Amino acid sequence: MGYTEAEKELSVYESMAARFDVAARQLKLDAGLYKYMRCPNREIIVHIPVEMDNGTVEVFDGYRVQHSIARGPSKGGVRYSPQVTLDEIRGLAAEMTWKCAVVNIPFGGAKGGVVCDPEKLSRGELERITRRYTAEILDYIGPERDVPAPDMNTGEQVMAWMMDTYSMHVRHTVTASVTGKPLDLGGSRGRREATGRGCMIVCDQALKRFGKTPESTRVIIQGFGNVGSQAARLMYEAGYRITGVADLHGGTYNSRGIDIPALLEYAHEAKGVKGFPGGEAAESCELLEQDCDVLLPAATESVITSRNASRIKARILVEGANSPTTPPADEILFDRGVFVIPDILANAGGVTVSYFEWVQDRQGYFWTENDVNDRLKHIQVAAFNDVVHYGEKHNVNNRIAAYMLAIDRVAFSLKLRGIYA
Ligand code: GLU
């Protein structure tokens, strides 16, 4: 059970670096900039002592990797998972730099993580882990430095605790220190749905290229957390036929289309999609290979590898998760003509609305949901067109085009700034 095959093809950092190398070669990137941009600026490792509910003390490992501040404060989520490693966080931090550059928002990239299993922790334990982690990295974060946000297994409540801890230390409320907060604490309208909405926006653009409509499009979604469930809901409302949904514990398939509002209600009660009466039971890995038009992996990394890529039947791959496809799988998908919308473009809706949240917090003036959604659409459609045109012009696939576009933008900022000595 689970999303990934036991043996990993390449680590997240290795995958990122392999793509970076291809893009850098295509760009004929200067050797010094190549070395500079391939590794992170700063890596922070902390060991967090926490008093558990039973009175014992546990120590959790935590990381925050800041890959780049070339274009602005570093930006990126914090994940809680037993699988977190420094290598993973390092790779995802670099991906955040490229993601922010692809959508052209004024941030660098970072990522954080704590090695823990939130399913086994009480609310109080989670709060204490969050506050101590925040306190340990406090000198390195802040609205002008590095701005954390939600990621896997973290959400609005964790962000509220992070913002409060930061604020208590500096002795005034700094809502812009963190994004993805609850609406009543300086959060932005539309942030919760933003990543899923962004996936739909780029998928709509891809359909236009293929002359298809949402009604004639079957979608399979892997992952039913924040990204997968919001994408499912919004796409269902827009007329897409969602034929399969899987989460960590199992999946459901219905060729006529799943009733997504009913599935949302069921998953809320049952704590997962497994056993949903409106579809047939299916394993997560089977669903990846099931016939469909759009495959939307929205769970975790390295689920599409050289071992299953040749069996993927979707024509369009929308990467809601970070790094769901390994570089060897990329080549197979490309040869088979799959239109890949890479993670740093497809799931950039989250960080884009995080940017809007940061702007609103700093202005103390909050936008309507329509404003947020319109601006998000504007940014993601422009980024989609930039990537696709760049790829056509340079005869590279969408993934390498996105990397090239991003690396070129970051390199330009670095050249303008020079190296401080
Ligand atoms: N964790 C999300 C991502 O991977 C959002 C990051 C943010 O909003 O800063 O893009």
Side-chain angles (χ1 to χ4, degrees):
M1 200 89 75
Y3 290 125
T4 37
E5 295 163 61
E7 182 198 338
K8 283 223 172 127
E9 202 153 48
L10 283 179
S11 75
V12 176
Y13 180 76
E14 285 167 346
S15 290
M16 187 294 296
R19 287 161 178 154
F20 178 81
D21 288 355
V22 174
R25 254 196 315 277
Q26 289 277 346
L27 283 168
K28 298 190 174 46
L29 189 67
D30 163 88
L33 282 175
Y34 169 83
K35 281 188 256 177
Y36 188 173
M37 293 165 75
R38 204 172 183 275
C39 64
N41 278 166
R42 182 185 277 145
E43 303 186 343
I44 306 160
I45 302 179
V46 295
H47 303 286
I48 314 160
V50 175
E51 189 171 328
M52 308 305 282
D53 291 349
N54 66 5
T56 61
V57 172
E58 287 295 336
V59 178
F60 296 90
D61 294 340
Y63 308 105
R64 183 75 183 167
V65 176
Q66 297 170 344
H67 173 261
S68 172
I69 54 165
R71 289 167 45 91
S74 48
K75 187 83 192 79
V78 174
R79 55 175 58 185
Y80 287 175
S81 154
Q83 272 90 41
V84 164
T85 63
L86 180 57
D87 175 284
E88 176 199 42
I89 300 298
R90 185 185 287 142
L92 295 172
E95 280 220 342
M96 286 309 301
T97 303
W98 317 137
K99 193 182 296 184
C100 293
V102 165
V103 286
N104 218 351
I105 58 176
F107 287 134
K111 198 79 165 198
V114 177
V115 187
C116 65
D117 187 352
E119 279 189 16
K120 298 201 178 101
L121 296 165
S122 71
R123 184 182 160 91
E125 289 165 344
L126 266 179
E127 176 172 353
R128 293 194 289 283
I129 290 177
T130 302
R131 289 190 181 278
R132 185 63 188 248
Y133 170 69
T134 309
E136 293 288 347
I137 62 170
L138 203 102
D139 289 341
Y140 302 97
I141 60 173
E144 312 288 347
R145 291 189 178 149
D146 177 15
V147 188
D151 198 80
M152 212 183 270
N153 298 327
T154 56
E156 293 175 15
Q157 180 60 69
V158 169
M159 294 306 116
W161 290 326
M162 286 191 88
M163 190 278 278
D164 182 68
T165 306
Y166 183 89
S167 299
M168 289 303 100
H169 276 264
V170 300
R171 319 223 51 87
H172 63 107
T173 297
V174 188
T175 52
S177 55
V178 168
T179 61
K181 302 179 297 294
L183 211 52
D184 293 315
L185 281 180
S188 175
R189 293 189 175 80
R191 175 63 185 84
R192 201 178 286 170
E193 301 81 9
T195 313
R197 182 179 295 282
C199 289
M200 179 173 77
I201 292 170
V202 292
C203 190
D204 289 347
Q205 298 305 305
L207 290 198
K208 278 193 196 153
R209 293 181 66 85
F210 287 94
K212 279 180 82 73
T213 58
E215 288 73 19
S216 65
T217 303
R218 296 158 305 157
V219 185
I220 289 184
I221 302 179
Q222 184 195 47
F224 211 54
N226 179 258
V227 181
S229 66
Q230 296 292 352
R233 185 177 65 78
L234 292 166
M235 291 175 94
Y236 173 87
E237 285 169 5
Y240 283 88
R241 181 149 51 107
I242 318 290
T243 50
V245 173
D247 65 20
L248 193 55
H249 305 292
T252 180
Y253 180 78
N254 184 336
S255 59
R256 282 166 301 156
I258 296 168
D259 178 348
I260 296 296
L263 180 64
L264 283 163
E265 217 168 285
Y266 175 86
H268 184 72
E269 292 300 316
K271 304 264 174 286
V273 301
K274 192 177 174 177
F276 177 58
E280 302 154 31
E283 286 297 326
S284 185
C285 49
E286 279 174 59
L287 282 179
L288 288 179
E289 298 173 16
Q290 184 65 251
D291 195 22
C292 65
D293 302 296
V294 172
L295 181 63
L296 204 165
T300 188
E301 53 246 22
S302 307
V303 292
I304 304 174
T305 67
S306 63
R307 288 182 282 269
N308 60 1
S310 60
R311 295 193 297 273
I312 302 273
K313 300 193 184 59
R315 304 317 306 155
I316 300 171
L317 180 68
V318 180
E319 295 187 332
N322 288 315
S323 206
T325 311
T326 63
D330 265 348
E331 289 185 21
I332 298 169
L333 297 178
F334 185 61
D335 287 345
R336 297 182 59 240
V338 178
F339 188 84
V340 175
I341 311 180
D343 48 5
I344 58 174
L345 169 63
N347 72 33
V351 75
T352 301
V353 177
S354 275
Y355 165 52
F356 298 159
E357 181 173 335
W358 179 79
V359 168
Q360 292 170 79
D361 288 339
R362 285 155 59 103
Q363 287 182 328
Y365 178 74
F366 290 86
W367 311 348
T368 64
E369 190 164 346
N370 278 343
D371 271 343
V372 170
N373 292 345
D374 287 349
R375 289 178 206 234
L376 170 63
K377 186 166 177 190
H378 180 81
I379 287 185
Q380 265 197 305
V381 170
F384 178 92
N385 290 330
D386 283 351
V387 168
V388 172
H389 294 152
Y390 200 95
E392 285 166 354
K393 189 166 152 208
H394 297 273
N395 197 24
V396 291
N397 64 43
N398 290 341
R399 167 125 33 224
I400 297 303
Y403 263 69
M404 286 171 72
L405 191 65
I407 293 168
D408 206 26
R409 284 180 178 157
V410 178
F412 187 67
S413 305
L414 285 173
K415 268 189 239 160
L416 287 174
R417 290 179 71 149
I419 296 180
Y420 177 73

